[in-house]
Amino acid sequence: MNIFFLDILQSSKNNDITITRKFLEHNRCSLRTSRKWNAVNISSNPSREKIKSPTISEAINSSGVRIFIAPDHRSTGVLLSNFKLHSQTKIHMVVLDAHSDCQGSTELLTNYNVMLWITEKFPNIKKTIVGFRDTDRSSDNLSHAYSNIFPTSLVNTHGIENIASYILDTVNPSDKIWLSIDLDVLDPLLFTAVNTPISGGLLPREIFTLIQALEGKLAIAEIVEFTSATATRSEFLFMADLVSVLCEI
């Protein structure tokens, strides 16, 4: 297991990463960092000795489960490009996101546009989205980017355990899973530290249940859109718990 913070493309959300990193370092991890690199490794390092942190390419292609905490969806494209450049591992992407992001220009930095780019550049990668809950018809366009689509209404009807089982049934036995978690997938009654909350989201236990169901298949997990400037202590603790659950599988 390796945990990395990414500061990709000099994001304006640098401070969110810094605050989150300090919190997790204080609660469960020691830190390895170097200003020369974009990836910061906070894997276990009890002596706190200075160790050169890896490049993004080295980080994404390290062994074991790799966990990335990044400002926004740019991380997916950057990480995947580096991963596919060096790895022959076949992956199935599972995306947790509240928004279909199908509205507006294709030039906007949205998860949907990132997924369209992945579809064009890596057509063999299958993708599943879980937890979106847009109310307009633009979400009909999701089929252009995803092979499996599970809005929150289906999660509520069938249960997250059955959704997880269906996802695993569609993953080839030799493939690994890339899990992308946009924290706005959570219900804002319980978690509001995101840029654009929307009501009716998933519960923390549902996310934990889905993650635990992926044990043995998960290769990479990324967590995006955490706004630490507005986060409460309970929301920071959820972040620590989320990382902890990912570390345990």
Side-chain angles (χ1 to χ4, degrees):
M1 177 273 301
N2 285 289
I3 309 169
F4 303 96
F5 285 88
L6 296 187
D7 179 11
I8 294 176
L9 304 180
Q10 299 299 311
S11 170
S12 60
K13 301 176 186 176
N14 295 355
N15 193 49
D16 286 337
I17 290 184
T18 300
I19 295 172
T20 310
R21 183 177 68 200
K22 288 181 178 178
F23 179 85
L24 291 178
E25 180 187 13
H26 175 73
N27 278 274
R28 58 172 286 106
C29 299
S30 56
L31 181 65
R32 295 193 293 181
T33 184
S34 169
R35 291 185 179 181
K36 293 186 295 183
W37 305 98
N38 288 324
V40 179
N41 188 333
I42 62 168
S43 304
S44 179
N45 178 24
S47 66
R48 294 182 180 270
E49 61 189 37
K50 290 185 178 180
I51 303 175
K52 184 182 75 172
S53 289
T55 62
I56 289 178
S57 180
E58 291 169 338
I60 193 64
N61 292 292
S62 58
S63 60
V65 177
R66 287 133 284 177
I67 303 168
F68 295 87
I69 301 175
D72 52 49
H73 295 296
R74 283 175 292 186
S75 62
T76 306
V78 175
L79 290 171
L80 185 60
S81 294
N82 280 275
F83 179 76
K84 295 300 289 183
L85 184 64
H86 300 283
S87 176
Q88 298 301 312
T89 302
K90 294 182 179 180
I91 59 171
H92 184 117
M93 300 192 77
V94 177
V95 179
L96 308 185
D97 196 346
H99 305 280
S100 68
D101 289 334
C102 298
Q103 309 92 335
S105 170
T106 57
E107 301 299 319
L108 296 175
L109 176 61
T110 65
N111 195 24
Y112 176 68
N113 286 337
V114 170
M115 291 301 149
L116 284 179
W117 174 82
I118 292 172
T119 300
E120 179 180 345
K121 191 170 180 63
F122 307 108
N124 293 327
I125 294 179
K126 292 184 177 180
K127 300 179 292 300
T128 295
I129 185 169
V130 178
F132 85 90
R133 46 196 184 272
D134 287 350
T135 57
D136 60 39
R137 300 292 297 177
S138 64
S139 59
D140 294 345
N141 293 322
L142 279 173
S143 59
H144 298 313
Y146 296 96
S147 51
N148 300 310
I149 301 170
F150 298 103
T152 304
S153 58
L154 280 181
V155 177
N156 294 338
T157 301
H158 297 286
I160 195 65
E161 296 87 354
N162 290 323
I163 298 298
S165 295
Y166 182 87
I167 291 172
L168 288 171
D169 286 343
T170 64
V171 177
N172 292 328
S174 60
D175 290 1
K176 290 292 186 179
I177 288 177
W178 181 309
L179 179 64
S180 179
I181 304 173
D182 186 324
L183 292 169
D184 65 22
V185 77
L186 286 158
D187 195 304
L189 289 176
L190 301 172
F191 193 94
T192 60
V194 296
N195 291 313
T196 313
I198 180 172
S199 61
L202 300 184
L203 303 176
R205 63 175 174 79
E206 291 177 313
I207 292 180
F208 295 155
T209 298
L210 177 59
I211 292 171
Q212 289 162 347
L214 303 180
E215 183 172 5
K217 296 294 289 183
L218 187 65
I220 294 160
E222 56 173 339
I223 304 167
V224 302
E225 296 289 343
F226 179 56
T227 58
S228 61
T230 62
T232 64
R233 178 170 177 78
S234 63
E235 289 167 333
F236 274 112
L237 288 173
F238 168 79
M239 281 289 289
D241 289 341
L242 178 59
V243 172
S244 179
V245 170
L246 287 167
C247 289
E248 289 170 0
I249 69 170

